[in-house]
Amino acid sequence: MNKRSDFYKEQYYFELTRKNSLTTSLSIPIAFMTAIFTAYAYLGLNIYCLFDTWLIWVFLLFILIASLFVVKASIYLYKAFTGLKYGYLPSPDKIYEYENKYKNDPDLDKKFFEGIKRSYINTTSKNRLNNNFRVTNLFKANINTIKAIIFVILASIPFFLAKNNENILLKANINLEKNLKPMIPNEQKPSHTSENEDQSNQPDISDFPVDEYITESAEINIPTEHPDTIQKDSDQNSDSKD
């Protein structure tokens, strides 16, 4: 009796573990979807490079097919993970009430294990159907997601061809502008100057800055005349004294 009960118990927990594994595997198609929408965003922001080429029609065709597969994959994911009811054993408080209600019944143990076995059978059978349904839809979602990725890659081929041509034309225009840019002649200095200019540019010794003589005291005496003039004045003063 215990071996039979263990069999149903193992099957019950196996399907619950399988349910959790399928829920975790949901991250795979979601990651693929994220990659596809990221590619859509990049291609959409740079689609201007296709405007003047026939490659835009090939690009749009592949993007349309990829979008159809994305929609189908989204529908399968929605069906796989919404609206399913999983079965579980009765809550412990209800089982405890049942035991108290029939505690004087001599066949309580037999009835108890029969009830548990029936719950194992009913819930495990329902959970297995749900898991099989999820597996089927998850598989279809993954297949359609992979197809969508393939067509996004195919759409990127004409896109990058047009992008490469745009870069080549841009470089050619830049080089052309450099080649057509007029050469600015270097300014040449005059080979000779006029006599007036030579005379006006000659330095005058009288304009040379005056030397500074500072007395080592609190009083600072800075002469305002040329030292030669100061020397002459001093000589005249000495002669007058004589």
Side-chain angles (χ1 to χ4, degrees), residues 174-239:
I174 293 175
N175 293 330
L176 183 62
E177 289 179 359
K178 289 182 179 180
N179 294 331
L180 295 178
K181 185 177 181 181
M183 298 297 295
I184 300 177
N186 296 326
E187 295 182 358
Q188 298 181 354
K189 296 181 179 180
S191 59
H192 62 277
T193 57
S194 62
E195 295 179 357
N196 295 330
E197 291 177 350
D198 289 340
Q199 294 176 358
S200 62
N201 292 329
Q202 290 181 354
D204 187 359
I205 192 64
S206 62
D207 294 335
F208 195 81
V210 180
D211 298 337
E212 295 183 359
Y213 296 89
I214 301 175
T215 305
E216 295 182 355
S217 65
E219 296 180 358
I220 299 176
N221 183 16
I222 300 176
T224 58
E225 296 180 352
H226 197 274
D228 295 339
T229 306
I230 298 173
Q231 185 65 32
K232 290 179 181 180
D233 292 340
S234 63
D235 294 340
Q236 291 177 0
N237 292 330
S238 63
D239 292 339

Side-chain angles (χ1 to χ4, degrees), residues 38 63 71 114 190 216 218:
T38 302
I63 287 295
V71 172
E114 285 294 328
E216 295 182 355

